[in-house]
Amino acid sequence: MPAPCLAARRATRPRFALAKARRGRRSEPTNKEKGHSIESIESKILAFLARYPNEQFKAKELARRLGIRAEQEYEIFKLSLRKLQDERRIDRVKGKQFCHMHVAEVLDGVMELSNKGFGVVAISDSSEEIFVRQNNLGEAGHGDQVRISILPQSQPKKDLAHRREGEVVEVLKRNTQTVVGKLERNRKTWFVVPDDSRFGKAIVVPTEHVKNAEEGYKVAVQLDSWGRGERASEGRIVEVFGSAGEMHAELRSVLREFGLPTEYPREVLAEANGLPGEIPLSEIERRLDMRKTLCVTIDPVDAKDFDDAVSFEKMDNGNYWLGVHIADVSWYVHEHTLLDAEALKRGTSVYIPNGVIPMLPERLSNHLCSLRPNEDKLTFSVLMEITPRGSVKRYEIRETVIHSKRRFTYEEVQEILFGPAVENATPEEMNLHAMVRDMHELSSVLTKKRLREGSIDFESAEAKFRFDADGNPVEIVKKVRLDSHRLVEEFMLLANKVVAGHIGLSKKEEHPKPFIYRVHDSPDPDRIEELAAFVE
């Protein structure tokens, strides 16, 4: 009996092995079947990862989530993963995990840092602003031109004022390499605490680069390296201003912090000094000569330059002939000159406590273009005939030459209007005082007319500093808005309105005049929503 059993086992082995082999051959897909299966699984993988772009999956977890369980299908699944990875259609990260291949959108713009630690990048050639969290700022500083990468699935978020999110990948251009702050010390470590809180961290200064500064001094530090993450920035002191809190030290540090130039290049001063001090007769003859017209300036008591003047006459028909005269700087500063380039770079005059950093050199701002009394000056003038009810009947806009008869302060005009009559006044003084009172009467009419027509009258409190003989502030007082202030304001507003109307009419002509406009567009709905949330 044993023999047949053994024979039977021998006989069945080949048949079993053959059947197994046949089953294996039948289960192996053809090239056509294999390609179709890979394409199908590829589509499933891509669709699934696209739904979860910020998540990563191990191969077995991904297969389970896709419903792939059969051994043969899993082999095709692994082939599909390798193929998609080679084609860079999916990404493989550490730990043998797979994720959606994010093609980063890269944008350039200017970084604006908040003192709360985050940043907002205003994108170049766009109105979009991208939110950047503190841990994504890299080495970017306030005002730097940066390149950012938009984060995956960065959708507008209500708490971020509908901004997408990004991270800094490159600093294209530094806004500044110098930071102003206060020098302090912790044991053997020197560091500067920046005045601008948007800079964030203190700057470490190696002992050999402290210069002659002492603890508690205001200094300017040149950055040698920018800190990233928890690493501190390092720098060297390049300028020492003096003790923190001391008037001149603080003022110098502010000028340095904002890059305000206190001196002019020699070639610019040479060009200014080369300008003629006398007005050529040919230029006077070309203009409307108003030197015999009674003109005055009205300015603050501490004004150094006088930009505008007013003239005023009563006409035989009962109307007023009002002139508003503005210094004609363009006769002295021509396009493409060194003075023009320097003025463009500065942009405006900057007023500081007890002083000013002028846009133009002193020879121009305080002398040639200042409408000082008893001197011939070149001006642009708006001349208006105004009815006693405040309506402009006609006007002229002319290039003129004037000769101011008197420099008034606001306080002097206020005294003329509401103080006692001046005894033993000369005929010239009596004429001046009568003109001032007539101007005040007209300005009151203009104010009432303007408010009646819907104009807004802003009343905001202003502070004024008083200084001692050494230039230190000793008192802060509230500026009182006088009727004399309103008098000048009304005349300037009316002149601007007439000029705007004149230019507006020219738009209808065949050859309209070029002009600079400030356009107030409709507000951004997102900004309105943000404001509403803030107000609430």
Side-chain angles (χ1 to χ4, degrees):
M1 293 301 295
C5 290
L6 181 60
R9 284 198 299 273
R10 287 173 179 170
T12 56
R13 267 183 200 162
R15 286 198 296 272
F16 176 76
L18 181 60
K20 186 175 180 181
R22 285 173 178 168
R23 284 198 302 272
R25 282 200 299 270
R26 281 199 303 270
S27 64
E28 186 176 340
T30 63
N31 287 337
K32 183 177 179 181
E33 290 170 337
K34 185 176 179 179
H36 177 74
S37 299
I38 287 178
E39 289 175 4
S40 175
I41 292 177
E42 281 180 5
S43 298
K44 288 182 179 180
I45 294 170
L46 291 172
F48 179 83
L49 292 179
R51 289 201 303 273
Y52 303 96
N54 297 321
E55 296 187 35
Q56 301 165 2
F57 303 89
K58 289 186 176 181
K60 288 186 178 180
E61 170 66 9
L62 184 57
R64 186 185 67 78
R65 299 284 290 270
L66 292 175
I68 295 173
R69 293 180 176 82
E71 184 178 349
Q72 294 168 353
E73 194 175 13
Y74 185 74
E75 291 299 321
I76 297 172
F77 165 76
K78 289 197 294 184
L79 288 173
S80 299
L81 283 178
R82 283 196 293 270
K83 182 170 178 288
L84 289 172
Q85 184 185 343
D86 292 341
E87 294 173 354
R88 296 191 59 77
R89 297 167 72 188
I90 65 172
D91 199 10
R92 183 176 178 178
V93 293
K94 292 179 180 179
K96 298 182 180 179
Q97 294 182 326
F98 297 89
C99 62
H100 178 71
M101 174 64 77
H102 171 64
V103 180
E105 181 183 0
V106 178
L107 300 169
D108 295 347
V110 177
M111 173 66 74
E112 182 176 341
L113 289 180
S114 163
N115 53 19
K116 294 182 180 179
F118 64 83
V120 174
V121 176
I123 301 303
S124 304
D125 303 321
S126 170
S127 60
E128 186 178 14
E129 294 179 331
I130 306 299
F131 181 85
V132 183
R133 297 183 187 275
Q134 188 170 14
N135 58 342
N136 290 326
L137 289 172
E139 296 182 359
H142 181 72
D144 290 350
Q145 292 182 24
V146 297
R147 179 160 292 156
I148 60 170
S149 173
I150 302 300
L151 295 178
Q153 283 297 97
S154 179
Q155 296 298 327
K157 296 177 175 60
K158 205 153 192 173
D159 61 327
L160 301 179
H162 302 278
R163 298 186 182 111
R164 293 193 289 170
E165 286 195 56
E167 64 176 332
V168 176
V169 295
E170 184 180 357
V171 176
L172 303 174
K173 185 179 179 182
R174 290 289 182 192
N175 176 46
T176 180
Q177 296 286 350
T178 306
V179 176
V180 172
K182 183 179 178 182
L183 181 65
E184 297 185 3
R185 181 170 61 177
N186 182 10
R187 295 182 181 177
K188 294 183 179 180
T189 303
W190 292 90
F191 59 92
V192 173
V193 179
D195 286 349
D196 190 343
S197 59
R198 292 173 299 191
F199 192 84
K201 297 173 294 186
I203 303 157
V204 174
V205 180
T207 304
E208 63 269 23
H209 296 314
V210 171
K211 216 173 180 181
N212 59 339
E214 298 178 16
E215 187 176 1
Y217 271 28
K218 294 299 286 290
V219 298
V221 56
Q222 175 78 34
L223 287 162
D224 293 328
S225 68
W226 290 74
R228 186 185 182 98
E230 296 300 319
R231 193 176 76 244
S233 301
E234 288 192 12
R236 62 187 67 208
I237 292 174
V238 293
E239 192 170 355
V240 180
F241 303 116
S243 297
E246 193 269 324
M247 169 70 176
H248 297 291
E250 294 289 348
L251 189 55
R252 287 175 61 202
S253 69
V254 168
L255 298 181
R256 179 62 185 263
E257 179 181 355
F258 291 96
L260 299 175
T262 55
E263 297 181 354
Y264 286 88
R266 280 183 297 178
E267 57 271 21
V268 173
L269 291 176
E271 189 173 274
N273 292 331
L275 294 170
E278 298 293 328
I279 302 172
L281 180 60
S282 58
E283 184 62 24
I284 293 176
E285 291 175 343
R286 191 182 70 81
R287 293 171 177 252
L288 176 63
D289 191 344
M290 298 188 66
R291 288 178 293 176
K292 292 184 179 180
T293 302
L294 189 57
C295 282
V296 298
T297 60
I298 306 175
D299 293 281
V301 66
D302 54 355
K304 301 293 190 297
D305 58 329
F306 316 115
D307 301 327
D308 46 65
V310 290
S311 59
F312 189 90
E313 298 175 75
K314 275 189 174 180
M315 304 175 70
D316 293 338
N317 61 3
N319 292 341
Y320 304 106
W321 188 242
L322 172 67
V324 175
H325 314 277
I326 308 297
D328 183 2
V329 181
S330 64
W331 193 81
Y332 296 97
V333 181
H334 297 161
E335 194 174 7
H336 305 309
T337 60
L338 294 174
L339 282 167
D340 179 46
E342 183 69 18
L344 177 64
K345 184 172 72 175
R346 291 171 178 248
T348 182
S349 297
V350 179
Y351 291 87
I352 57 178
N354 210 24
V356 62
I357 302 172
M359 183 176 69
L360 295 169
E362 187 176 351
R363 175 168 166 75
L364 280 157
S365 59
N366 286 12
H367 296 277
L368 298 180
C369 298
S370 181
L371 307 184
R372 304 193 299 182
N374 305 313
E375 295 180 11
D376 293 349
K377 296 295 178 180
L378 299 177
T379 51
F380 280 112
S381 300
V382 181
L383 308 170
M384 300 161 279
E385 181 181 349
I386 307 171
T387 69
R389 290 191 171 188
S391 298
V392 178
K393 296 290 289 183
R394 64 184 178 94
Y395 67 87
E396 298 176 25
I397 300 174
R398 302 287 297 272
E399 291 175 276
T400 55
V401 55
I402 67 168
H403 189 98
S404 174
K405 302 297 189 293
R406 175 72 181 269
R407 184 246 160 154
F408 281 115
T409 67
Y410 288 121
E411 290 75 15
E412 287 174 334
V413 170
Q414 192 75 9
E415 183 67 19
I416 292 171
L417 295 176
F418 302 103
V422 178
E423 296 181 4
N424 303 320
T426 64
E428 185 179 8
E429 285 180 322
M430 290 177 65
N431 287 338
L432 283 169
H433 290 192
M435 184 182 78
V436 166
R437 284 190 285 269
D438 287 340
M439 286 195 300
H440 177 252
E441 183 179 327
L442 177 59
S443 71
S444 299
V445 171
L446 292 173
T447 300
K448 292 174 184 176
K449 183 175 184 292
R450 183 169 56 82
L451 296 176
R452 191 167 58 246
E453 292 173 352
S455 177
I456 298 174
D457 197 35
F458 291 102
E459 285 281 2
S460 57
E462 259 190 281
K464 181 178 177 66
F465 292 84
R466 287 184 179 153
F467 300 86
D468 61 17
D470 297 322
N472 295 310
V474 294
E475 189 180 7
I476 302 174
V477 295
K478 181 180 176 181
K479 279 187 180 180
V480 179
R481 193 159 182 248
L482 306 172
D483 282 59
S484 53
H485 291 99
R486 190 180 290 277
L487 184 153
V488 176
E489 288 169 6
E490 289 298 336
F491 291 168
M492 296 301 157
L493 281 171
L494 185 62
N496 278 298
K497 183 179 178 181
V498 167
V499 171
H502 178 78
I503 296 298
L505 288 173
S506 74
K507 292 171 66 177
K508 300 176 183 178
E509 300 173 1
E510 185 178 350
H511 301 290
K513 299 177 180 66
F515 206 64
I516 296 174
Y517 293 88
R518 175 184 288 175
V519 179
H520 294 279
D521 201 358
S522 300
D524 186 340
D526 289 347
R527 296 284 187 171
I528 292 294
E529 188 176 333
E530 185 178 354
L531 174 62
F534 171 76
V535 171
E536 185 180 355

